[in-house]
Structures are given as structure tokens and as C-alpha cells.
Amino acid sequence: MSTIDAPERGAATLTGPAPRILAIAAPYYRDVVDGMLRGARRVFDDVKATVEVAEVAGGYELPAALAMALKVPGRWDGFLLLGCVVKGETDHYTFICDAICHGVMDVSTRSAASIGFGLLTVDTLAQAEARSRDDNMNKGAEAAHAVLGQIALARRWGLAG
């Protein structure tokens, strides 16, 4: 689903204590990832979430950083992953995107962690910039809503506090 087709979202809501979020950011494209993080923070502010940010070298490191963070029990209620991969002239883009997505899905399904996945996989930097602006097309905000929804589901099913 593209952001343009996404339903209009109002303020985020979440019952229970304010969530603790770890945002793992791969700021290879600093302006893009910072823009997505700003969008996410606006969503997290609605629920008074505390947000800790950890940076990794690039998108390829996101799954391993997530796996490491999950070894710290009870510190975070959810995880937001932010990064951007821009297609180049070689197959490198395909292999990196595939590895990141499969790696995150593998960690996600094995751990049942609450995750918001904000990895932009785009053809051009302009496409990434359009998805990280301070507007309703911000993919960081969309990923923040996703992690809050996962936290709500975990709490509903008694899997989290």
C-alpha cells in the first residue's frame, strides 16, 4: 500500500503506560532518515512515548541491531527501524533490500516483538525526500503508527505491560 492510499490517521492512541520505543536509525541518507524520525516523534508525542535513538552504519545493519536490542529484556516496548536504500546501477540494491527485509522479518517472527519498519527502498533520492517531509506522506510517521498498533495488540493479548 502506498502512503497516498493510506487511510487518514488522527492522533495516535494507546491504552496503558506510555510506551518506551527504541528507534534504530541507519542515517546513510541523514536528511531523509532525520525527516522520518521527526515524523515518528510527532506520532509518539501523542502517546507520551519515550524514544531512545541508536544509529547504525546502514540499512544492512538494522536486523542485527534489532536482534541485539531484543537481548536486553524489558527495556523497550517497541522498536522503530528507519533507513533508506536508493537504487543504483548494479544489483547491489536488490541484494541489500532483500537481506534487510528478510532479516527484519526473521527477527520479527521469531521474537514476536512490536516493530515499525520504516525502510525506504526507492529509485531516486527525490522519492525518498518526498516520503520524509513534514507532511502526511511521511513514512516515519506511518511506521510509528504501525509499532504503536503492534504494542496495543501485544498488550491486548497479555504479551506486554
Side-chain angles (χ1 to χ4, degrees), residues 9 35-36 39-43 135 138-146:
R9 291 190 166 101
M36 289 194 302
R41 284 186 186 275
R42 284 192 302 274
V43 173
D135 61 20
N138 187 292
K139 288 293 191 177
E142 189 173 307
H145 278 285

Side-chain angles (χ1 to χ4, degrees), residues 28-86:
Y28 189 87
Y29 294 98
R30 170 73 66 187
D31 291 343
V32 170
V33 172
D34 284 352
M36 289 194 302
L37 186 56
R38 278 192 308 276
R41 284 186 186 275
R42 284 192 302 274
V43 173
F44 292 144
D45 285 348
D46 291 340
V47 296
K48 300 185 180 10
T50 58
V51 180
E52 181 179 339
V53 179
E55 291 188 354
V56 296
Y60 191 78
E61 288 75 29
L62 289 170
L66 175 61
M68 285 186 267
L70 286 165
K71 291 187 177 285
V72 182
R75 184 165 174 183
W76 301 286
D77 300 302
F79 303 88
L80 177 71
L81 305 180
L82 299 175
C84 176
V85 183
V86 179

Side-chain angles (χ1 to χ4, degrees), residues 77-107:
D77 300 302
F79 303 88
L80 177 71
L81 305 180
L82 299 175
C84 176
V85 183
V86 179
K87 188 171 186 166
E89 297 177 358
T90 68
D91 291 341
H92 182 257
Y93 169 87
T94 302
F95 298 126
I96 292 296
C97 293
D98 188 56
I100 297 166
C101 292
H102 280 94
V104 170
M105 183 56 71
D106 184 51
V107 173

